Each structure stands twice: as C-alpha cells, then as structure tokens.
Amino acid sequence: MARNTRGNWRLIVNVDGNPSLRQTTSLEECAREEASCDLLPTLVTSRCVQKHVVHNLLSWAPEEGFYVDSYSLPSACVCYISRVDLHLLYTFVENWDIRH
C-alpha cells in the first residue's frame, strides 16, 4: 500500500509469480533529511534534501477496481550547499598541496 499523489491510500498490484503483473522501482531515502551532509568538510554549510519522482503504477481500490494511479516516491538524497567560507577553503586547498 502507498499514498497516491492525492493523499489517498491505495493497494499497488504486484502478483508474485506473474511477470506481467510485477512492478518494481528503486527507492532512495535520506538517512538524515535536513541534516548537514556527512562527506563535506566544516568549511561549508549544507543540508540533505529528499527528492521525489512520480511513478504510475497499476493499483486497486474497492470503488474504482483496477486502474493506473500516480505515486510520488523518494528517488534521491541531494546535498545542497548554502554557504562556503572562502578563507577556510583557500587554506584547505593550500594545505592540501603541501600534504600531497
């Protein structure tokens, strides 16, 4: 079950053993949405943002029977950088050349 794009809970049809009624999709969710991105140094201000994509899937509801409905599913976690401390960045780059 999942909520469609209108917010209604619907059954998504997926019949095991019948390849013509098997529906698959990849999901990717942020582990810590709105938190700072783990892989970036402290010289940047960042945050993780959940992205979604709309999938059309065969569904079933008592009042409608079988039909195709739209679902907004989590598809990626994106890191947005909102501020960079340029002085710290230049220092980091200069020191990087010395260490490597």
Side-chain angles (χ1 to χ4, degrees):
M1 288 189 77
R3 285 187 195 267
N4 62 18
T5 54
R6 293 174 310 285
N8 302 317
W9 283 100
R10 295 293 185 248
L11 289 170
I12 297 173
V13 176
N14 206 10
V15 179
D16 196 26
N18 186 339
S20 64
L21 293 176
R22 186 174 304 136
Q23 303 180 96
T24 62
T25 183
S26 296
L27 304 177
E28 183 178 325
E29 292 183 297
C30 292
R32 299 176 344 176
E33 189 174 3
E34 297 301 323
S36 61
C37 303
D38 290 336
L39 300 176
L40 296 175
T42 57
L43 54 101
V44 298
T45 302
S46 63
R47 66 185 174 97
C48 296
V49 177
Q50 183 68 58
K51 294 295 182 179
H52 293 80
V53 67
V54 174
H55 288 274
N56 295 319
L57 300 169
L58 181 61
S59 306
W60 183 84
E63 62 276 4
E64 299 175 45
F66 291 101
Y67 69 104
V68 175
D69 207 342
S70 300
Y71 299 87
S72 179
L73 302 176
S75 61
C77 188
V78 179
C79 181
Y80 279 98
I81 297 173
S82 57
R83 186 184 67 79
V84 177
D85 186 324
L86 292 177
H87 175 72
L88 286 176
L89 179 62
Y90 291 135
T91 303
F92 179 80
V93 170
E94 287 173 359
N95 290 334
W96 179 269
D97 289 339
I98 293 170
R99 291 181 294 213
H100 295 87

XYZ file of all heavy atoms in Angstrom:
807
model
N 0.839 -1.186 0.000
C 0.000 0.000 0.000
C 0.878 1.242 0.000
O 1.979 1.230 0.526
C -0.908 0.012 1.226
C -2.019 -1.005 1.184
S -3.203 -0.792 2.525
C -4.128 0.595 1.932
N 0.340 2.288 -0.577
C 1.031 3.577 -0.596
C -0.004 4.674 -0.788
O -1.118 4.409 -1.246
C 2.063 3.631 -1.713
N 0.393 5.897 -0.439
C -0.478 7.049 -0.685
C -0.239 7.542 -2.105
O 0.904 7.743 -2.510
C -0.178 8.186 0.286
C -0.684 7.957 1.680
C -0.478 9.238 2.496
N -0.615 8.988 3.898
C -1.759 9.130 4.570
N -2.838 9.522 3.942
N -1.809 8.883 5.855
N -1.323 7.767 -2.841
C -1.178 8.321 -4.180
C -0.880 9.814 -4.084
O -0.794 10.378 -2.981
C -2.411 8.021 -5.052
C -3.690 8.633 -4.518
O -3.675 9.549 -3.687
N -4.809 8.124 -4.978
N -0.717 10.460 -5.222
C -0.358 11.882 -5.220
C -1.471 12.770 -4.669
O -1.240 13.945 -4.382
C 0.017 12.352 -6.639
O -1.044 12.031 -7.537
C 1.312 11.701 -7.107
N -2.668 12.241 -4.504
C -3.778 12.992 -3.903
C -3.907 12.704 -2.406
O -4.820 13.198 -1.755
C -5.088 12.664 -4.639
C -5.095 13.167 -6.082
C -6.317 12.717 -6.875
N -6.613 11.307 -6.817
C -5.955 10.330 -7.460
N -4.917 10.639 -8.208
N -6.319 9.075 -7.359
N -3.012 11.843 -1.863
C -3.010 11.556 -0.440
C -3.896 10.402 -0.010
O -4.055 10.159 1.187
N -4.454 9.649 -0.963
C -5.325 8.517 -0.639
C -4.528 7.215 -0.616
O -3.700 6.972 -1.501
C -6.446 8.384 -1.685
C -7.279 9.641 -1.780
O -7.636 10.235 -0.773
N -7.572 10.061 -2.991
N -4.785 6.380 0.395
C -4.138 5.075 0.465
C -4.734 4.160 -0.594
O -5.945 4.063 -0.739
C -4.332 4.445 1.842
C -3.438 5.039 2.877
C -3.762 5.971 3.809
C -2.054 4.754 3.069
N -2.666 6.287 4.572
C -1.605 5.545 4.144
C -1.147 3.906 2.434
C -0.294 5.510 4.596
C 0.160 3.873 2.899
C 0.573 4.673 3.962
N -3.863 3.489 -1.351
C -4.282 2.570 -2.399
C -3.414 1.311 -2.361
O -2.253 1.353 -1.940
C -4.170 3.206 -3.786
C -5.112 4.368 -3.998
C -6.564 3.882 -3.997
N -7.490 4.938 -4.315
C -8.360 5.441 -3.457
N -8.405 4.992 -2.227
N -9.193 6.387 -3.829
N -3.974 0.205 -2.836
C -3.217 -1.034 -2.989
C -2.491 -0.988 -4.327
O -3.103 -0.690 -5.362
C -4.148 -2.240 -2.973
C -4.770 -2.588 -1.633
C -5.849 -3.641 -1.822
C -3.707 -3.090 -0.683
N -1.211 -1.277 -4.320
C -0.439 -1.371 -5.556
C -0.412 -2.844 -5.942
O -0.065 -3.704 -5.136
C 0.978 -0.815 -5.362
C 0.898 0.679 -5.024
C 1.822 -1.051 -6.602
C 2.218 1.300 -4.654
N -0.801 -3.134 -7.186
C -0.899 -4.510 -7.658
C 0.499 -5.040 -7.963
O 1.274 -4.410 -8.686
C -1.785 -4.593 -8.918
C -1.807 -6.013 -9.467
C -3.194 -4.101 -8.600
N 0.811 -6.204 -7.409
C 2.097 -6.856 -7.646
C 1.896 -8.337 -7.396
O 1.892 -8.781 -6.260
C 3.163 -6.269 -6.722
C 4.547 -6.392 -7.301
O 4.710 -6.739 -8.456
N 5.550 -6.097 -6.505
N 1.688 -9.115 -8.435
C 1.368 -10.531 -8.298
C 2.651 -11.351 -8.408
O 3.290 -11.394 -9.466
C 0.336 -10.977 -9.364
C 0.044 -12.466 -9.226
C -0.933 -10.148 -9.239
N 3.033 -11.989 -7.304
C 4.223 -12.832 -7.284
C 4.004 -14.029 -8.212
O 2.963 -14.653 -8.205
C 4.494 -13.312 -5.853
C 5.892 -13.858 -5.688
O 6.781 -13.451 -6.456
O 6.085 -14.691 -4.786
N 4.980 -14.335 -9.031
C 4.866 -15.456 -9.948
C 4.279 -15.095 -11.299
O 4.194 -15.932 -12.191
N 3.832 -13.854 -11.481
C 3.287 -13.419 -12.759
C 4.080 -12.204 -13.235
O 3.798 -11.077 -12.822
C 1.804 -13.077 -12.630
C 1.163 -12.768 -13.965
O 1.836 -12.429 -14.924
N -0.151 -12.878 -14.011
N 5.089 -12.411 -14.102
C 5.951 -11.300 -14.532
C 5.198 -10.136 -15.165
O 5.639 -8.994 -15.075
C 6.896 -11.943 -15.546
C 6.859 -13.398 -15.253
C 5.486 -13.687 -14.696
N 4.043 -10.390 -15.781
C 3.316 -9.289 -16.419
C 2.619 -8.394 -15.399
O 2.188 -7.300 -15.729
C 2.298 -9.834 -17.422
O 1.306 -10.589 -16.748
N 2.493 -8.864 -14.145
C 1.877 -8.049 -13.094
C 2.866 -7.708 -11.975
O 2.480 -7.401 -10.864
C 0.652 -8.766 -12.518
C -0.526 -8.916 -13.472
C -1.638 -9.729 -12.823
C -1.049 -7.568 -13.920
N 4.158 -7.776 -12.288
C 5.184 -7.424 -11.304
C 5.656 -6.005 -11.600
O 6.028 -5.690 -12.726
C 6.352 -8.391 -11.380
C 7.369 -8.133 -10.280
C 8.471 -9.157 -10.246
N 7.916 -10.491 -10.118
C 8.335 -11.541 -10.829
N 9.295 -11.393 -11.720
N 7.790 -12.723 -10.671
N 5.609 -5.161 -10.592
C 6.038 -3.763 -10.732
C 7.173 -3.514 -9.754
O 7.060 -3.844 -8.576
C 4.871 -2.816 -10.424
C 3.659 -3.062 -11.297
C 2.533 -2.129 -10.968
O 2.373 -1.118 -11.611
N 1.744 -2.464 -9.948
N 8.249 -2.931 -10.239
C 9.389 -2.629 -9.373
C 9.823 -1.184 -9.581
O 9.601 -0.600 -10.642
C 10.588 -3.554 -9.665
O 11.005 -3.347 -11.008
C 10.228 -5.011 -9.457
N 10.445 -0.646 -8.566
C 11.035 0.686 -8.644
C 12.129 0.771 -7.584
O 12.107 0.038 -6.600
C 9.975 1.794 -8.439
O 10.603 3.059 -8.605
C 9.334 1.712 -7.075
N 13.085 1.626 -7.801
C 14.147 1.851 -6.813
C 13.756 3.028 -5.932
O 13.270 4.047 -6.430
C 15.471 2.154 -7.504
O 15.882 1.046 -8.257
N 13.990 2.876 -4.633
C 13.718 3.950 -3.679
C 15.020 4.339 -2.996
O 15.836 3.477 -2.672
C 12.713 3.496 -2.622
C 11.369 2.965 -3.115
C 10.532 2.504 -1.936
C 10.642 4.023 -3.907
N 15.204 5.621 -2.791
C 16.364 6.109 -2.038
C 15.883 7.200 -1.103
O 15.346 8.210 -1.537
C 17.431 6.652 -2.981
C 18.668 7.084 -2.224
C 19.772 7.577 -3.148
O 19.922 7.053 -4.257
O 20.477 8.512 -2.725
N 16.077 6.972 0.190
C 15.635 7.934 1.198
C 16.834 8.506 1.933
O 17.814 7.798 2.190
C 14.703 7.273 2.204
C 13.375 6.850 1.630
C 12.456 6.267 2.677
O 12.809 5.228 3.249
O 11.401 6.874 2.906
N 16.746 9.773 2.296
C 17.780 10.406 3.107
C 17.770 9.776 4.502
O 16.707 9.630 5.100
C 17.516 11.901 3.252
S 17.693 12.864 1.751
N 18.937 9.422 4.982
C 19.036 8.882 6.336
C 18.764 9.976 7.360
O 18.174 9.715 8.407
C 20.414 8.270 6.564
N 19.194 11.198 7.044
C 19.007 12.328 7.963
C 18.612 13.566 7.170
O 19.420 14.470 6.980
C 20.286 12.577 8.741
C 20.728 11.406 9.593
C 22.032 11.675 10.263
N 22.703 12.816 9.636
C 23.827 13.342 10.034
N 24.445 12.862 11.047
N 24.373 14.367 9.422
N 17.376 13.591 6.716
C 16.904 14.717 5.921
C 17.022 16.022 6.708
O 16.745 16.064 7.898
C 15.448 14.500 5.498
C 14.966 15.515 4.505
C 13.581 15.200 3.977
O 12.960 14.232 4.418
O 13.126 15.955 3.112
N 17.467 17.073 6.032
C 17.679 18.421 6.574
C 18.927 18.532 7.452
O 19.271 19.616 7.894
C 16.449 18.948 7.312
C 15.238 19.107 6.433
C 15.439 20.059 5.255
O 16.129 21.083 5.415
O 14.916 19.763 4.175
N 19.623 17.430 7.720
C 20.880 17.491 8.470
C 21.996 17.903 7.514
O 21.841 17.864 6.294
C 21.189 16.136 9.095
N 23.147 18.282 8.057
C 24.272 18.634 7.191
C 24.805 17.381 6.512
O 24.693 16.275 7.043
C 25.373 19.328 7.992
O 25.854 18.464 8.996
N 25.385 17.559 5.337
C 25.896 16.430 4.555
C 27.161 15.890 5.220
O 28.066 16.651 5.558
C 26.180 16.870 3.132
S 24.728 17.587 2.313
N 27.236 14.595 5.364
C 28.324 13.950 6.098
C 29.694 14.067 5.429
O 30.699 14.171 6.108
C 28.024 12.462 6.297
C 26.893 12.219 7.272
O 26.643 13.097 8.121
O 26.274 11.143 7.190
N 29.743 14.036 4.117
C 31.023 13.931 3.427
C 31.729 15.252 3.178
O 32.822 15.270 2.639
C 30.831 13.199 2.092
C 30.275 11.781 2.219
C 30.038 11.195 0.835
C 31.213 10.910 3.019
N 31.102 16.353 3.565
C 31.700 17.664 3.308
C 32.425 18.199 4.537
O 31.991 17.978 5.667
C 30.617 18.655 2.884
C 29.926 18.332 1.563
C 28.793 19.310 1.318
C 30.911 18.365 0.414
N 33.522 18.911 4.323
C 34.237 19.499 5.467
C 33.412 20.613 6.117
O 32.447 21.117 5.540
C 35.519 20.046 4.832
C 35.206 20.214 3.393
C 34.162 19.190 3.049
N 33.814 21.005 7.301
C 33.063 22.000 8.071
C 33.131 23.408 7.472
O 32.454 24.299 7.951
C 33.582 22.061 9.520
O 34.985 22.348 9.475
C 33.326 20.757 10.243
N 33.899 23.602 6.412
C 34.005 24.932 5.823
C 32.818 25.271 4.928
O 32.734 26.364 4.388
C 35.305 25.108 5.043
C 35.608 24.070 3.961
C 35.282 24.627 2.602
C 37.072 23.692 4.059
N 31.876 24.336 4.787
C 30.664 24.616 4.015
C 29.437 24.382 4.889
O 29.453 23.557 5.794
C 30.559 23.741 2.744
C 31.696 24.007 1.799
C 30.473 22.284 3.076
N 28.382 25.135 4.613
C 27.096 24.920 5.254
C 26.232 24.177 4.243
O 26.046 24.649 3.120
C 26.444 26.262 5.645
O 27.338 26.960 6.515
C 25.117 26.042 6.328
N 25.739 23.003 4.649
C 24.998 22.174 3.708
C 23.809 21.516 4.412
O 23.704 21.537 5.633
C 25.912 21.086 3.144
O 26.335 20.223 4.193
N 22.922 20.926 3.583
C 21.802 20.163 4.140
C 21.369 19.113 3.129
O 21.465 19.319 1.915
C 20.648 21.070 4.516
C 19.975 21.765 3.363
C 18.895 22.757 3.825
N 18.373 23.492 2.710
C 17.250 23.192 2.060
N 16.521 22.174 2.461
N 16.843 23.907 1.039
N 20.892 17.985 3.622
C 20.374 16.906 2.781
C 18.898 17.165 2.481
O 18.132 17.490 3.380
C 20.503 15.560 3.490
S 22.203 15.086 3.795
N 18.521 17.022 1.215
C 17.149 17.271 0.780
C 16.635 16.034 0.040
O 17.312 15.519 -0.854
C 17.077 18.503 -0.146
C 15.672 18.713 -0.666
C 17.574 19.748 0.589
N 15.464 15.572 0.432
C 14.840 14.415 -0.215
C 14.194 14.830 -1.531
O 13.448 15.793 -1.583
C 13.774 13.806 0.703
C 13.122 12.561 0.149
C 14.079 11.391 0.085
O 14.634 10.988 1.088
N 14.286 10.858 -1.105
N 14.492 14.109 -2.597
C 13.875 14.323 -3.903
C 12.904 13.184 -4.183
O 13.108 12.061 -3.732
C 14.925 14.390 -5.019
C 15.819 15.597 -4.908
C 15.012 16.849 -5.117
C 15.850 18.091 -5.079
N 15.080 19.290 -5.293
N 11.840 13.493 -4.933
C 10.814 12.503 -5.274
C 10.596 12.487 -6.784
O 10.857 13.470 -7.464
C 9.483 12.836 -4.594
C 9.526 12.707 -3.118
N 10.062 13.672 -2.293
C 9.115 11.719 -2.306
C 9.971 13.284 -1.041
N 9.391 12.098 -1.019
N 10.109 11.360 -7.281
C 9.712 11.227 -8.677
C 8.346 10.550 -8.699
O 8.047 9.711 -7.843
C 10.764 10.445 -9.498
C 10.859 9.002 -9.068
C 10.493 10.560 -10.979
N 7.507 10.928 -9.653
C 6.164 10.362 -9.751
C 6.208 9.111 -10.630
O 6.744 9.147 -11.746
C 5.162 11.392 -10.314
C 3.803 10.754 -10.546
C 5.041 12.574 -9.359
N 5.674 8.007 -10.101
C 5.561 6.745 -10.833
C 4.085 6.429 -11.032
O 3.279 6.613 -10.121
C 6.203 5.595 -10.043
C 7.682 5.646 -10.006
N 8.462 5.095 -10.994
C 8.535 6.178 -9.109
C 9.744 5.288 -10.700
N 9.810 5.948 -9.554
N 3.751 5.943 -12.209
C 2.399 5.462 -12.489
C 2.394 3.949 -12.322
O 3.159 3.255 -13.002
C 1.970 5.854 -13.907
C 1.869 7.350 -14.057
O 1.387 8.040 -13.166
N 2.332 7.863 -15.170
N 1.558 3.466 -11.393
C 1.533 2.040 -11.070
C 0.111 1.498 -11.119
O -0.849 2.206 -10.775
C 2.114 1.821 -9.663
C 3.562 2.281 -9.455
C 3.917 2.247 -7.984
C 4.509 1.412 -10.260
N -0.004 0.228 -11.527
C -1.301 -0.432 -11.523
C -1.762 -0.563 -10.079
O -1.030 -1.057 -9.221
C -1.210 -1.810 -12.183
C -2.503 -2.605 -12.268
C -3.557 -1.860 -13.098
C -2.245 -3.992 -12.831
N -2.971 -0.107 -9.804
C -3.489 -0.046 -8.440
C -4.879 -0.665 -8.383
O -5.487 -0.971 -9.419
C -3.558 1.412 -7.977
O -2.304 2.028 -8.127
N -5.363 -0.813 -7.167
C -6.720 -1.318 -6.975
C -7.347 -0.601 -5.792
O -6.698 -0.359 -4.766
C -6.720 -2.815 -6.708
C -8.102 -3.372 -6.574
C -8.928 -3.760 -7.583
C -8.821 -3.578 -5.361
N -10.115 -4.202 -7.078
C -10.079 -4.099 -5.703
C -8.531 -3.364 -4.016
C -11.051 -4.413 -4.771
C -9.493 -3.686 -3.079
C -10.739 -4.199 -3.462
N -8.610 -0.241 -5.943
C -9.406 0.354 -4.862
C -10.826 -0.187 -5.016
O -11.299 -0.388 -6.141
C -9.399 1.871 -4.955
N -11.523 -0.447 -3.902
C -12.874 -1.021 -3.982
C -13.827 -0.214 -4.852
O -14.605 -0.774 -5.625
C -13.345 -1.043 -2.528
C -12.126 -0.932 -1.706
C -11.102 -0.221 -2.531
N -13.738 1.109 -4.772
C -14.674 1.946 -5.523
C -14.287 2.123 -6.997
O -15.103 2.568 -7.798
C -14.829 3.325 -4.854
C -13.559 4.145 -4.774
C -12.641 3.830 -3.590
O -12.926 2.901 -2.818
O -11.637 4.534 -3.460
N -13.036 1.787 -7.359
C -12.575 2.007 -8.734
C -12.157 0.733 -9.454
O -12.001 0.740 -10.670
C -11.407 3.000 -8.727
C -11.789 4.365 -8.160
C -10.602 5.299 -8.055
O -9.832 5.371 -9.020
O -10.463 5.949 -7.010
N -11.916 -0.348 -8.721
C -11.384 -1.572 -9.331
C -9.918 -1.373 -9.679
O -9.200 -0.646 -9.006
N -9.466 -2.009 -10.772
C -8.080 -1.867 -11.230
C -7.951 -0.609 -12.079
O -8.786 -0.330 -12.936
C -7.665 -3.088 -12.059
C -7.539 -4.332 -11.243
C -8.555 -5.270 -11.250
C -6.414 -4.567 -10.485
C -8.454 -6.431 -10.495
C -6.299 -5.724 -9.731
C -7.323 -6.657 -9.733
N -6.879 0.148 -11.842
C -6.631 1.369 -12.609
C -5.181 1.794 -12.389
O -4.497 1.275 -11.502
C -7.589 2.490 -12.181
C -7.314 3.003 -10.788
C -6.683 4.220 -10.606
C -7.654 2.258 -9.667
C -6.400 4.693 -9.332
C -7.381 2.719 -8.396
C -6.753 3.930 -8.227
O -6.466 4.388 -6.979
N -4.689 2.704 -13.185
C -3.332 3.237 -13.036
C -3.413 4.517 -12.219
O -4.198 5.412 -12.523
C -2.680 3.501 -14.409
C -1.319 4.162 -14.234
C -2.544 2.200 -15.188
N -2.584 4.579 -11.168
C -2.574 5.755 -10.299
C -1.146 6.279 -10.183
O -0.175 5.574 -10.483
C -3.129 5.398 -8.918
C -3.750 6.595 -8.210
O -3.469 7.747 -8.607
O -4.517 6.383 -7.246
N -0.997 7.505 -9.716
C 0.305 8.162 -9.595
C 0.742 8.219 -8.139
O -0.055 8.569 -7.262
C 0.227 9.587 -10.159
O -0.130 9.557 -11.509
N 2.030 7.920 -7.914
C 2.608 7.914 -6.575
C 3.919 8.687 -6.599
O 4.754 8.478 -7.475
C 2.887 6.477 -6.107
C 1.634 5.643 -6.046
C 1.172 4.957 -7.158
C 0.905 5.561 -4.874
C 0.012 4.204 -7.101
C -0.255 4.804 -4.810
C -0.690 4.140 -5.936
O -1.849 3.395 -5.879
N 4.105 9.579 -5.645
C 5.350 10.314 -5.509
C 6.254 9.512 -4.574
O 5.978 9.401 -3.378
C 5.080 11.709 -4.935
O 6.282 12.411 -4.780
N 7.332 8.946 -5.130
C 8.206 8.064 -4.365
C 9.587 8.691 -4.195
O 10.083 9.383 -5.090
C 8.329 6.718 -5.080
C 7.009 5.986 -5.322
C 7.245 4.717 -6.134
C 6.309 5.667 -4.014
N 10.239 8.432 -3.051
C 11.571 9.000 -2.817
C 12.585 8.409 -3.797
O 12.686 7.193 -3.942
C 11.880 8.603 -1.374
C 11.010 7.423 -1.098
C 9.802 7.577 -1.951
N 13.311 9.289 -4.501
C 14.209 8.817 -5.557
C 15.683 9.151 -5.324
O 16.552 8.501 -5.893
C 13.782 9.405 -6.896
O 13.845 10.816 -6.849
N 15.975 10.161 -4.513
C 17.369 10.554 -4.311
C 17.488 11.454 -3.092
O 16.538 12.124 -2.699
C 17.898 11.289 -5.535
N 18.672 11.455 -2.526
C 19.004 12.379 -1.444
C 20.092 13.304 -1.988
O 21.158 12.854 -2.387
C 19.502 11.609 -0.219
S 19.716 12.655 1.222
N 19.798 14.597 -2.038
C 20.696 15.569 -2.657
C 21.295 16.467 -1.577
O 20.605 16.865 -0.634
C 19.922 16.427 -3.685
C 20.816 17.462 -4.312
C 19.299 15.531 -4.739
N 22.566 16.778 -1.726
C 23.238 17.672 -0.786
C 23.274 19.076 -1.379
O 23.841 19.290 -2.449
C 24.651 17.182 -0.524
S 25.535 18.212 0.652
N 22.642 20.025 -0.691
C 22.654 21.426 -1.109
C 23.650 22.197 -0.251
O 23.607 22.123 0.974
C 21.264 22.054 -0.961
C 20.345 21.721 -2.096
C 19.429 20.693 -1.986
C 20.400 22.440 -3.291
C 18.580 20.377 -3.035
C 19.557 22.138 -4.341
C 18.653 21.107 -4.202
O 17.825 20.794 -5.244
N 24.501 22.951 -0.926
C 25.473 23.799 -0.229
C 24.936 25.222 -0.249
O 24.667 25.778 -1.310
C 26.851 23.728 -0.900
C 27.392 22.301 -0.815
C 27.805 24.732 -0.266
C 28.660 22.089 -1.584
N 24.757 25.794 0.935
C 24.195 27.140 1.008
C 25.241 28.205 1.316
O 25.007 29.381 1.078
C 23.087 27.191 2.063
O 23.588 26.785 3.312
N 26.406 27.805 1.859
C 27.435 28.801 2.172
C 28.792 28.121 2.184
O 28.939 27.013 2.666
C 27.185 29.417 3.547
C 28.127 30.561 3.888
C 27.903 31.088 5.292
N 28.258 30.135 6.323
C 29.505 29.884 6.722
N 30.520 30.496 6.165
N 29.737 29.004 7.673
N 29.790 28.821 1.634
C 31.166 28.336 1.648
C 32.035 29.425 2.260
O 31.975 30.580 1.836
C 31.672 28.001 0.224
C 33.125 27.574 0.258
C 30.807 26.943 -0.421
N 32.819 29.065 3.257
C 33.770 30.008 3.856
C 35.012 30.004 2.957
O 35.825 29.085 3.025
C 34.112 29.573 5.284
C 34.984 30.581 5.995
O 35.852 31.201 5.330
O 34.814 30.741 7.210
N 35.134 31.031 2.095
C 36.212 31.047 1.105
C 37.595 31.096 1.738
O 38.534 30.474 1.246
C 36.021 32.215 0.142
C 34.804 32.093 -0.783
C 34.677 33.347 -1.646
C 34.899 30.861 -1.650
N 37.736 31.807 2.847
C 39.033 31.858 3.522
C 39.442 30.451 3.972
O 40.578 30.024 3.741
C 38.982 32.816 4.712
C 40.252 32.814 5.504
N 41.411 33.376 5.022
C 40.550 32.290 6.720
C 42.366 33.201 5.924
N 41.869 32.556 6.953
N 38.526 29.723 4.591
C 38.836 28.349 5.012
C 39.078 27.450 3.811
O 39.942 26.570 3.847
C 37.715 27.784 5.873
C 37.624 28.319 7.300
C 36.401 27.745 8.004
C 38.885 27.982 8.080
N 38.349 27.658 2.727
C 38.539 26.852 1.521
C 39.938 27.057 0.950
O 40.627 26.091 0.616
C 37.478 27.199 0.480
C 37.576 26.451 -0.851
C 37.412 24.953 -0.636
C 36.542 26.968 -1.829
N 40.381 28.314 0.833
C 41.726 28.589 0.320
C 42.781 27.972 1.230
O 43.750 27.381 0.756
C 41.961 30.097 0.182
C 41.136 30.739 -0.909
C 40.481 31.936 -0.695
C 41.017 30.139 -2.160
C 39.716 32.533 -1.692
C 40.252 30.731 -3.164
C 39.614 31.914 -2.927
O 38.864 32.498 -3.910
N 42.599 28.074 2.527
C 43.544 27.476 3.474
C 43.576 25.964 3.315
O 44.631 25.349 3.296
C 43.146 27.848 4.926
O 43.112 29.272 5.029
C 44.127 27.281 5.926
N 42.406 25.361 3.166
C 42.303 23.916 2.989
C 43.032 23.483 1.718
O 43.810 22.534 1.724
C 40.825 23.506 2.921
C 40.600 22.049 2.719
C 40.693 21.168 3.782
C 40.290 21.553 1.465
C 40.485 19.810 3.604
C 40.081 20.196 1.268
C 40.179 19.321 2.336
N 42.832 24.211 0.612
C 43.465 23.869 -0.665
C 44.970 24.053 -0.575
O 45.738 23.205 -1.047
C 42.864 24.711 -1.813
C 43.676 24.538 -3.097
C 41.418 24.320 -2.044
N 45.435 25.140 0.030
C 46.877 25.366 0.169
C 47.528 24.253 0.982
O 48.574 23.750 0.635
C 47.137 26.715 0.822
C 46.855 27.885 -0.091
C 46.943 29.226 0.628
O 47.213 29.255 1.842
O 46.725 30.252 -0.042
N 46.897 23.858 2.075
C 47.431 22.798 2.926
C 47.365 21.448 2.223
O 48.179 20.568 2.457
C 46.715 22.738 4.268
C 47.042 23.933 5.132
O 48.104 24.546 4.974
N 46.123 24.296 6.001
N 46.364 21.274 1.368
C 46.221 20.013 0.627
C 47.438 19.810 -0.269
O 47.996 18.729 -0.356
C 44.941 20.043 -0.204
C 44.734 18.802 -0.998
C 45.144 18.555 -2.280
C 44.086 17.608 -0.559
N 44.770 17.306 -2.670
C 44.124 16.692 -1.632
C 43.482 17.219 0.626
C 43.577 15.414 -1.539
C 42.928 15.963 0.704
C 42.987 15.070 -0.362
N 47.895 20.887 -0.957
C 49.059 20.785 -1.837
C 50.306 20.396 -1.058
O 51.137 19.647 -1.550
C 49.286 22.113 -2.556
C 48.221 22.396 -3.610
O 47.564 21.435 -4.063
O 48.024 23.572 -3.964
N 50.439 20.896 0.162
C 51.618 20.609 0.996
C 51.590 19.147 1.427
O 52.613 18.468 1.407
C 51.649 21.542 2.225
C 51.875 22.977 1.757
C 52.718 21.106 3.214
C 51.674 24.008 2.861
N 50.417 18.622 1.793
C 50.329 17.258 2.315
C 50.413 16.209 1.208
O 50.770 15.080 1.451
C 48.987 17.062 3.040
C 48.894 17.851 4.338
C 47.590 17.587 4.986
N 46.536 18.142 4.118
C 45.413 18.664 4.546
N 45.136 18.673 5.809
N 44.536 19.160 3.717
N 50.072 16.570 -0.016
C 50.037 15.566 -1.087
C 51.039 15.906 -2.114
O 51.278 16.080 -3.070
C 48.628 15.439 -1.660
C 47.674 14.913 -0.652
N 47.009 15.726 0.233
C 47.301 13.649 -0.365
C 46.243 14.982 1.008
N 46.409 13.730 0.688
